[in-house]
Each structure stands twice: as structure tokens, then as C-alpha cells.
Amino acid sequence: MDVTGSPAADDPFDTAALRAAVLDIWRRSPARLREDANAEEALAVVGYAGRVLVELIANAADAAIAAVQPARIRITTRGGELRVANTGAPLTAAGVASLASLRASAKTGDAGVGHFGVGFTAVLAVSDQPSVVSTTGSVRFDAADTAVAVARLADPALDAVVAARDGHVPALRLPWPTDGTPPEGFSTEVRLPLRHGIAAADVLAEIGDHLLLALPAVERLEVDDRVLARLPSDDDTVVLSDSAADTPVTRWRLASRAGRWDAARLAGLPTEQRRRARWQLTWAHPTTRPLGPDVLYAPTPTDEPLGLPARLIGTFPVDDTRRHLAAGPLVEALLDEAVAGYLDLMAATDPDARLGLLPAAGLGRGELDSTLRRRITDAVRGARLLVSASGEAVRPADAVMLPGADADLVALAAEALPGLLPPVGDTVAREALRSLGVRTVTVADLSTALGALARDARFWGRLYAVLDETGAAGDDLADLPVPLAGGRTVLGARGCLVADGPAPWLDAAVAAVPGLRLVHPDATADPVARRLLLRIGAVRADATGVLGDPAVLRAVAELRADLEEDDVPVERVVAVGTAVLDLVAAGGAPGADVSGDLLLTTDDDEPWPVTELTLPGSPLAAILVDAELEPVGSHWTDGWSDDVLRRAGVLGGFRVIEDTAPTGPDHDLPDEDRWWDEVVGNGPPPAVLTAVADLDLVADDRWPAALQLIADDRAARDSLAPVAGRPSYTAWWLGRFARLADRPPTAWRLPGAADLVGLFDPLPVPLPEPVAAAIGVRNGAAQVLADDPVDLLRRFCDPARTVPAVRVPALTAALTTALAGVRVAPLPSGVRVLTGTVVDAGDAAVLDLPWFAAVVDPARTVPGGADPAAVAGVFDLDLVSERHPVERVTATPTSAVRPTAAGAALGVTAGAVAAVGVDPDLRVRIAGTDHRVPWWVSVDGAWVDGSAAGWGRMLAWLAGDWALRHTATAWVVGDTPGVVEDGLTGPARRRPSAEES
């Protein structure tokens, strides 16, 4: 310093005085040397490690703020030296003094970023000889020169401190003037010769766009060929560019808050901190890319990790290392402001993107992160940050979401569900909303809520089409509003009528039956809307569907009830009748409730049930008794065809009812309960019940005409067909109760039933055979045997009936089979014998051995067939062999030619033929009387009289096939044509030789 007290010209910042003052302090207190060295080392090695450029750029930002201009910074590497140049206020003496001291910043008050006066210490992490050149002068620092300066003091105490520290002394406490000027356009440049082993690229890795966000004063940052810049932006948005980034331009949405602490908040803080009463913070959310793991910026980066979707930058108090928050009330207050600022950020974000800002559930990346997440989530629960589909801002507790709904459905449902949010397709987002308290509603809830809306039919049609796409079940839409053609709206589609298009008969039905729930055509113009309604219970409004509608059934039933009270309005009868006939004419099939209860009028305008009205000229009136039948009025016959009137229930013939889902005897049919018990029983009911009604009203002497009327009516005739292999009701009833010549149909046979000739009389009236057979007229013995074998037995044994003798054996055998195991009590007193006549059972016996046929009276003999014992058992008769025991066989064997060739042809051995005795005068004695016989077999032997007939029977018996007896006889006499006729022509049957013949 010169004599005037001003710095020397080559030392503009009077660094000599600074050095002298520091050295004097160290000399007077060697412990201060140690303290300064330790503090500087701790800051350089720990506190500011890896933050060299961050701190220098922060200082550059402060310089720009001081100069009230944007900061432009250039970072270059030259040889082994890293240089950081900046615009703004140049270096001052106070700044040099601040650089050369610890915790004595030249920046006071609220301006700038730094205020501890220790940030420049970060340069020692990479350099032992930092220098600062500026337009106002330059200084340098050098640890080696500092050590020399201490050594020159020749103070043993100081030397001992330096020795104890292995020669390490503070590098930044002693500044020296130096030469150099900053690059053109810049006011200051920090030059850092890099320590051996430190690469410039590692230092430059600290550079990123976070520096431009944390330090708004920085407008441009040039790093060799890389340029980071703040582009023109507005107050709520910052646009940053980075020429080396994958995303060159990043847009950030900002939400900032600022204020001043009152004196009470600052009480207890260090003096210089109390002077910085202004606070501010900013949330920055990148809208062009997601934000990865981040840290809190205060405003330079700290080591407090954050994992929120936005970056937090603020004037948070930090500890001496500037890496962690300083505990205290100011931090808590700033965190409260940060939560409020985050809500501001969400509010400034498009509603569709706000969910992306919700903090993720789960533990945070650290204590601060967890605290912020929890506080933000709690604050969001009470804030109107969600925007409903109708555009209303709502709190989560007042919001609902409808999973699976698309935008169209949500738009239509928004009015019915206040607070309904737009579609939330992302599962994570839905879970986040649930954690905030947003309720989930179902399609069923929507269906219920829609009931409060009053909208036109077109609205409901659009809604139905959209709802169908969701695949919602009918139960979920059970109370869905449905607009009707008459102007009403009902809840629930079940039973409503859906038309495919306009139809005059449908309009007439709606007008005549006010309760008819026809869906408004505007709601069903879209086929998809119709599909939904039909899927959830609506009925297609074809003519049959309308006829089965409860409103139509109710209207018909009410008129019928009014008729019983003798107080029925004719105009109403005509209106309902017209609607019903129009529906039938349109192809509708009326059910039993309609055709049974419908009222029409007579020519006298008297209301009358259609079941008691006949078509003009109908023969039915002449068939039925006790039936109050009237001709239907000409008004109806002029307007509709006979076919339509008949299908509606007017009687042109018998009334035929049809039930497509019968469950029991509830059709008001005579003896219907018996049919269900006897025919249906415990089996499944018929799929469809079709039956002729009023059969019990047919006069006994009118059955031929009645049956012909049924035969001529296709519907009535079809009702005779069996149902699942069981007799139909109509066939069953007619078979039991119809009368033909005072007898039931089962008492007669069809003309073609030849095997029943004599047993049943032919049908006395002409009827188509299918109709006659269906009602029980017999079509053959097999049918009778299966249906009522006892009846056939009694007829067979009735002496008043004539049965051809040729039919007796077959009928006897068939009855024996059918009645096996059946106890018939009482048995008929008579029995039919071989002559075809009936004799007293006590005089008859069953032929059990064929040779007895030559000695018994056919008029007293019952054919035994293949099982004589069974015949005897069924008819309770003796066997012939038991009733006529043989007393003696008279035979004198004679030599005779034996038909061995014929026997061989039949499979009888020559030995068996030779064993047969031959006597032309063969006789047997029975009951004292001798009888000549052609053949005989007994326990003593077998004999023949030598005749062809005798040998033929004997050979068939020996062959074990009684049916061959006629063939055997033909063999014996050499009747080759006879053999051929009987079919004995195969290789096992050789033709007899001439000698044998």
C-alpha cells in the first residue's frame, strides 16, 4: 500500500494488505492457521466435492443479478486448465476479500444465490492454483506460495502446525495479484489448473439443464461445443435447450411462490441470515419428457433425494455443507409453502394430465421425499383439483369414476353422476385416485342414477348404444330408464317392447292398450340400442310378442271380468278386439290367455267371448250341447278373414289351445289332471301343449261329425300327434270318452286290421285312418296285445264272436306271450279250439305232443304251439297227454324200405331211421278204444305206419324241427317241387337218387 493509503497500481485489490492481516493473525494465534486449514479442507474435500462448476455458475449468476443483466457463461478447457467465464459485475476488492476469507460473503441482503462466502472453496477439489481474472483486475491463489509465506515468518509454533499437517496450509487465505484479462464479452473468468489425475470431462459432467432452472439469471451456458440456453418463455413456462441432449428442447411448467419472513420467523437465526427475509420456491414440471430421480435444489443441488414428477427449487436453509437442509422452523414453513405450490402446479396443468402429477404411492426416496409425498397427497384430498366430465372442479371425496367407461359413455352419464371423472384407463392412475378417496361406481350405480334424468328419447338411444359396448349384464341395468312411445318413462327394460320399425298394427295396439310399454322409436333407431334392450329383458315387438305382453293380457282379462259383472263398455271391446285381430293378421300367435278371454261382439253389438262365437255357417253349434254359441258379428267378418278370426279364438271348428311352456293341468281342459297323472306322471312336461278344448260338450250322438270336424281342421288334427312318444291330451281324451255307436274308439278296428277280424267290429263311420288310429281305433292284434291284452283275451274267448280257424294258433300263442305272468281273474269260461269255435274250458285240453293230433277231437283241443305248458298255464287247461294217457301201442314190425336218404337230408342218422318200427296197422289204445295212427312216439320206442305222412312227421320230430314235417314228407315221396317250394335246396340238402325215389 502506498503512502496515501491506496493500493499499488499493480495490486488493485490491495492483496498485500489482506495477506499481511492474515499472516499477522496466524502469527499471533497459530491455532487459527490450523482452524482455517481444517475448515478449508473440509469444505473442499467433503462439502463441495463434485460441485465446482455448480458453485462457480452460481457465483456467475449472482454477478449477473448484481449487474441487472442475464448471465452468459462460457466453460472451456485449455491444456490442463478449466476456465469459466461469465458476464455480470466484475471482481471487486470486497469480492477478493470474500474469496480470501471463510464464511464472509460480499453478498448481503436478499440478492443473489450465495451468502455463506464459502462456495469458491469448491475449486480446491480440483485445483491448487486457482485464479480469477476480471476487467477490474486479477488475483490468484497458490497453496505452495502460502506455505512459503508461512515459512518466512520463521515462527516455530506455526512451523509446528504446518509440520503436523504434513505441510498442508490453507490455499485461499492469501491472494496475490496476477496478470490476465477475461475473454472478450465477459467480465470475469475463473481459471483452474487441474490437479494431476483429475479429468476435465469428469468435472464437466456436473453440467445439465437443472442449472438453468435453479439459476434463472443464467440465460446461456456454453461448454466447448455444447450450448444450453433459456429460450423465450412466459411466466408459467420455461423452455430450455441443450444441443447435446436426446431431447434438444424441454418445456417446463412452473408454479412459483414467494414472500418475506416476519421478524418472529427469523428470530434466533444468525445475523446475516436474518437480513435475508425474502423467500421463494418454484416447482418445475417437464411437459416434454418424464423427470427421473432428482434432488432438492436450494437453489443449487443438494443431496436430498426427491422422486416427485416435478423439480423443487427454493431458498431452503441448508447446513454448512450446502448438501442437506438445516433443521428448523423455516424449513417446515417452506415445506408447507412447497405443498401449496405443488397444488398450484397441478391446478395450472391440463386436467387430463393432472393425475400424472400425483405422488406415487409407497415409500419415498428419503425422509424429505416421503414427507412431501404424504403432505401433498393429504392436501390434494381436500383440494378441488379434479375436473369432472361436466367441467366442474371437485374434491376427490366428491368425485367418482366409472371403470371401463369410454368418453362417450362418460359424457352421457356425467349429468346423472355429479363429480364423474373423465375416463381413467390407466390402472395406476385409478389406484392413485382411489387412494385420494375417489369412489368407484358401477354400471348398476349409473343405471340407478340415470332414473333422475329427464331427457328425450334420442338421448336414451345414444346411451343404449354406448352401454351395449360395455357388455354390461342385464342385472346391472335392471332399473335403466326406458322412454315409451306414449311419453312415459319406465325404469327397467324387462318386458318393454322393441320394434324394428314402424307398423300400423303396432300403433293401433299402443292406442288401444294404454299400458302397452312400446319403447319410443327414437330410442331404438340404432340397431345397437335395440340389441342392448333385447339383451337386458326387452321383448321384440313382433305381433306375437305384443299379443303376449302383460298389458294386452290385462286389457283382455279386464274386459272378460267386466263381462262377468255385466258392465262392459262396447267401445272398449271394439278397440281391444280390433288391436288383437290386427296383431293376429300381422302373423301374431295369440296365447291361451288371449284366445280364451278375448271379447268380440255379435250383430246385436253384444260383447261375447270368442270361445262362444262361431263363424257364419260353422257346424260346431250343431255338435256341441249346453254351449251358448252365437255367430260373430258381421263387423268382424267384413274386416278380417275367417283364418284370422279362427286364430283369434272364434270357433270355426273346435277351439285349439297352445301353451309353449306348460307346467301343469291349468288349461281348463276336461279331465286334464288325469292326463297329467297318467301320461306325464313324474316325467318332464311336454315342450308344447296343443289340445282341442270343449270336447266334453260334444253330444253323444254327434261324435262322428265331431271327429270329422277335427280331421278337417289341421290344428285340431295336429293336436292328436304323440308328444315325446306319449299320447297327446286330445288323443288320450278321445280314446276314453268319445263314442262311436255308443262305444269308445278302442272298441273298433280299422278296416285293414285283418288279424282282428271277428274280434273287433270295423269302424262304423268313415274317418281318415291316421285320425282313427290316433284316438284308439285298433289297427292290429299287436297294438291290442300291447295296450289291453285282457280285453283281447275276453274277445277271443267270447263264443258270440267268430274267429277263422286258421287264426286260432297264432292268436293263442300271442295271447300266451302277452299274458305271461299276468293274473287274469276271472278267466273266461270258454276257450277257443282248433276248429275256431269256443267250448267250455273244462272240456278242452292243450295239444302238447303232435302225434296226439291223430287221436283227439279238434273241437276239444287248444293248439299248444311252441310252448304248450305256457298255453295251459295262461288258460288254466290240462295238457292232452295228461288227460288222455296211452294204455297200449299195438305194432308188429315189418320189413320195409326206410327213407334214409330223406333222413340224411334232414340231418337224421341212418341208425335213428333204422330204429323206427314200421307197421301198416299201427294202433294205440286210449280209454279202452283203439285208434289207428300214422306215427307214434313213447318211452318204449317210435313207430310209423309206413306212409309218407307218417315218415315225414317222424323225420321232422327226429330232426328236432317240427316245422320241417311237410318238407320231410315231400322228400319221402320224391316231390322235388314240394321240397323246392319249402326252401330245402341248399348244399346240405342233397336231391334223392333214383333208387331212393
Side-chain angles (χ1 to χ4, degrees):
M1 183 175 294
D2 59 21
V3 293
T4 63
S6 299
D10 57 351
D11 188 8
F13 304 123
D14 197 8
T15 60
L18 293 175
R19 291 193 303 277
V22 171
L23 289 172
D24 182 57
I25 292 172
W26 288 349
R27 185 174 53 249
R28 286 186 287 108
S29 177
R32 284 293 303 275
L33 171 63
R34 181 182 178 190
E35 290 175 1
D36 288 349
N38 285 339
E40 186 180 273
E41 185 177 25
L43 290 172
V45 175
V46 179
Y48 286 101
R51 297 164 59 93
V52 177
L53 293 182
V54 171
E55 293 300 328
L56 294 181
I57 292 171
N59 288 338
D62 289 341
I65 293 172
V68 191
Q69 68 180 86
R72 183 166 64 90
I73 300 168
R74 178 185 294 169
I75 302 173
T76 57
T77 55
R78 180 174 298 178
E81 188 174 78
L82 181 69
R83 295 185 176 188
V84 181
N86 63 271
T87 58
L91 188 63
T92 64
V96 173
S98 176
L99 295 176
S101 63
L102 291 175
R103 304 193 60 78
S105 175
K107 296 167 282 189
T108 60
D110 293 330
V113 175
H115 57 93
F116 289 125
V118 295
F120 188 71
T121 310
V123 301
L124 296 181
V126 298
S127 179
D128 294 325
Q129 297 171 313
S131 61
V132 180
V133 298
S134 184
T135 55
T136 55
S138 304
V139 296
R140 67 177 179 83
F141 300 90
D142 191 320
D145 287 350
T146 299
V148 171
V150 172
R152 286 177 179 173
L153 293 176
D155 186 319
L158 291 177
D159 292 340
V161 169
V162 173
R165 294 186 56 78
D166 295 329
H168 181 269
V169 295
L172 298 182
R173 297 289 278 125
L174 302 181
W176 278 271
T178 187
D179 297 327
T181 57
E184 185 177 355
F186 294 90
S187 60
T188 304
E189 184 177 60
V190 176
R191 297 175 179 176
L192 303 175
L194 297 177
R195 188 181 299 116
H196 178 72
I198 295 178
D202 294 336
V203 181
L204 294 177
E206 301 175 25
I207 302 298
D209 60 3
H210 60 278
L211 296 172
L212 278 71
L213 281 174
L215 304 171
V218 178
E219 184 177 79
R220 184 178 177 89
L221 181 58
E222 302 169 3
V223 185
D224 291 332
D225 294 334
R226 179 183 179 188
V227 176
L228 294 87
R230 180 185 295 264
L231 304 180
S233 310
D234 54 36
D235 293 339
D236 297 328
T237 305
V238 168
V239 181
L240 303 180
S241 67
D242 182 349
S243 63
D246 294 336
T247 305
V249 177
T250 305
R251 183 178 297 274
W252 300 73
R253 180 177 290 109
L254 306 180
S256 300
R257 299 177 72 85
R260 298 186 66 82
W261 301 123
D262 56 28
R265 290 274 192 187
L266 298 173
L269 295 179
T271 301
E272 290 194 9
Q273 287 191 31
R274 291 200 304 271
R275 294 174 183 172
R276 300 177 68 85
R278 186 175 181 276
W279 62 267
Q280 63 181 16
L281 58 85
T282 297
W283 284 100
H285 173 237
T287 60
T288 51
R289 62 173 173 82
L291 182 65
D294 204 10
V295 297
L296 172 71
Y297 291 79
T300 54
T302 69
D303 286 350
E304 299 285 358
L306 291 181
L308 293 165
R311 175 170 293 160
L312 177 57
I313 306 164
T315 55
F316 287 91
V318 292
D319 60 14
D320 290 346
T321 67
R322 301 194 70 181
R323 290 181 177 273
H324 297 284
L325 293 182
L330 289 186
V331 169
E332 290 301 315
L334 277 172
L335 289 179
D336 289 341
E337 293 293 342
V339 170
Y342 199 86
L343 266 60
D344 293 341
L345 177 67
M346 293 184 69
T349 301
D350 187 84
D352 293 339
R354 287 179 189 173
L355 293 181
L357 289 173
L358 287 175
L363 296 175
R365 299 182 61 236
E367 182 179 355
L368 176 64
D369 191 33
S370 297
T371 298
L372 277 173
R373 290 188 190 200
R374 183 179 66 255
R375 292 188 184 184
I376 290 171
T377 300
D378 291 343
V380 170
R381 288 192 179 100
R384 297 182 181 276
L385 286 175
L386 302 179
V387 178
S388 71
S390 59
E392 177 186 9
V394 294
R395 295 180 299 116
D398 300 325
V400 296
M401 55 181 169
L402 183 60
D406 60 14
D408 291 338
L409 178 56
V410 167
L412 293 168
E415 186 176 348
L417 291 173
L420 179 62
L421 299 179
V424 184
D426 182 72
T427 302
V428 175
R430 286 199 300 271
E431 290 304 317
L433 288 171
R434 289 191 183 98
S435 70
L436 294 176
V438 176
R439 291 183 299 113
T440 297
V441 295
T442 64
V443 173
D445 298 326
L446 170 61
S447 176
T448 301
L450 288 168
L453 296 186
R455 301 298 298 271
D456 61 23
R458 290 185 179 86
F459 167 84
W460 296 115
R462 293 194 300 272
L463 178 66
Y464 299 156
V466 173
L467 278 174
D468 185 69
E469 299 298 327
T470 68
D475 290 344
D476 292 337
L477 301 175
D479 50 2
L480 184 67
V482 179
L484 303 182
R488 293 186 302 130
T489 297
V490 296
L491 297 181
R494 187 168 299 279
C496 290
L497 297 168
V498 176
D500 289 336
W505 48 266
L506 194 53
D507 297 336
V510 172
V513 185
L516 200 64
R517 298 195 305 167
L518 176 67
V519 181
H520 196 290
D522 287 348
T524 57
D526 188 337
V528 179
R530 294 199 297 273
R531 181 174 66 194
L532 172 82
L533 293 174
L534 292 172
R535 183 164 59 80
I536 64 175
V539 178
R540 191 173 298 280
D542 55 18
T544 298
V546 177
L547 282 170
D549 188 86
V552 172
L553 301 180
R554 186 167 53 250
V556 170
E558 287 174 353
L559 286 175
R560 183 61 183 265
D562 290 344
L563 182 65
E564 300 298 330
E565 300 295 329
D566 199 23
D567 184 24
V568 57
V570 176
E571 297 81 2
R572 181 76 178 137
V573 171
V574 172
V576 173
T578 298
V580 170
L581 292 181
D582 282 347
L583 290 167
V584 174
D593 291 339
V594 172
S595 59
D597 289 340
L598 180 65
L599 299 185
L600 296 179
T601 57
T602 65
D603 278 332
D604 295 332
D605 288 334
E606 287 292 329
W608 212 263
V610 289
T611 55
E612 299 174 15
L613 289 173
T614 62
L615 292 174
S618 170
L620 190 64
I623 294 174
L624 304 182
V625 296
D626 298 329
E628 299 179 1
L629 302 180
E630 291 285 339
V632 68
S634 59
H635 165 73
W636 308 103
T637 57
D638 291 343
W640 290 271
S641 67
D642 286 356
D643 178 64
V644 169
L645 293 170
R646 282 169 60 93
R647 287 193 288 121
V650 177
L651 302 178
F654 282 102
R655 182 165 58 97
V656 178
I657 66 169
E658 181 177 339
D659 186 352
T660 57
T663 57
D666 53 3
H667 304 88
D668 197 26
L669 297 169
D671 304 294
E672 185 185 5
D673 54 344
R674 285 184 56 189
W675 177 76
W676 280 89
D677 290 340
E678 295 178 17
V679 177
V680 179
N682 295 326
V688 178
L689 174 66
T690 304
V692 175
D694 305 323
L695 293 174
D696 56 332
L697 300 180
V698 176
D700 288 342
D701 61 345
R702 297 292 182 178
W703 274 110
L707 292 174
Q708 189 61 52
L709 195 60
I710 291 174
D712 293 340
D713 184 336
R714 178 176 179 177
R717 185 173 67 249
D718 289 346
S719 73
L720 297 171
V723 179
R726 298 174 293 188
S728 69
Y729 163 80
T730 305
W732 174 87
W733 197 94
L734 290 173
R736 280 156 181 74
F737 301 107
R739 289 295 178 266
L740 296 171
D742 295 327
R743 285 189 281 175
T746 54
W748 306 96
R749 67 172 173 84
L750 294 176
D755 56 354
L756 295 179
V757 171
L759 296 172
F760 288 83
D761 297 330
L763 186 65
V765 296
L767 276 180
E769 282 199 7
V771 173
I775 66 175
V777 178
R778 303 305 187 181
N779 61 10
Q783 177 206 32
V784 184
L785 287 167
D787 183 36
D788 192 355
V790 174
D791 178 48
L792 186 61
L793 172 66
R794 300 192 187 284
R795 291 173 178 273
F796 184 64
C797 296
D798 184 356
R801 295 190 173 275
T802 301
V803 176
V806 71
R807 296 290 304 151
V808 172
L811 286 170
T812 302
L815 280 167
T816 299
T817 301
L819 293 171
V822 177
R823 183 175 179 274
V824 180
L827 280 169
S829 60
V831 63
R832 199 168 295 273
V833 294
L834 286 168
T835 59
T837 61
V838 175
V839 300
D840 188 276
D843 297 334
V846 177
L847 181 63
D848 56 331
L849 298 173
W851 47 87
F852 273 93
V855 300
V856 297
D857 183 2
R860 295 290 183 269
T861 304
V862 173
D867 193 351
V871 175
V874 168
F875 288 90
D876 193 20
L877 300 173
D878 293 334
L879 296 172
V880 166
S881 62
E882 295 173 347
R883 179 172 290 190
H884 304 290
V886 176
E887 299 171 1
R888 184 178 66 196
V889 177
T890 301
T892 301
T894 62
S895 60
V897 177
R898 299 174 182 273
T900 55
L906 295 170
V908 179
T909 65
V913 175
V916 176
V918 180
D919 184 353
D921 192 28
L922 179 63
R923 296 174 183 270
V924 296
R925 175 171 289 184
I926 298 174
T929 303
D930 289 338
H931 301 271
R932 288 194 64 180
V933 295
W935 71 299
W936 199 264
V937 178
S938 72
V939 295
D940 297 327
W943 296 270
V944 297
D945 65 356
S947 66
W951 273 114
R953 283 161 174 75
M954 178 59 72
L955 291 175
W957 180 260
L958 293 174
D961 189 348
W962 186 239
L964 292 175
R965 61 191 182 278
H966 301 299
T967 303
T969 301
W971 269 111
V972 171
V973 301
D975 180 10
T976 301
V979 173
V980 173
E981 288 177 0
D982 284 349
L984 192 61
T985 57
R989 301 294 192 264
R990 65 181 178 83
R991 184 176 302 277
S993 64
E995 292 78 6
E996 292 172 331
S997 300

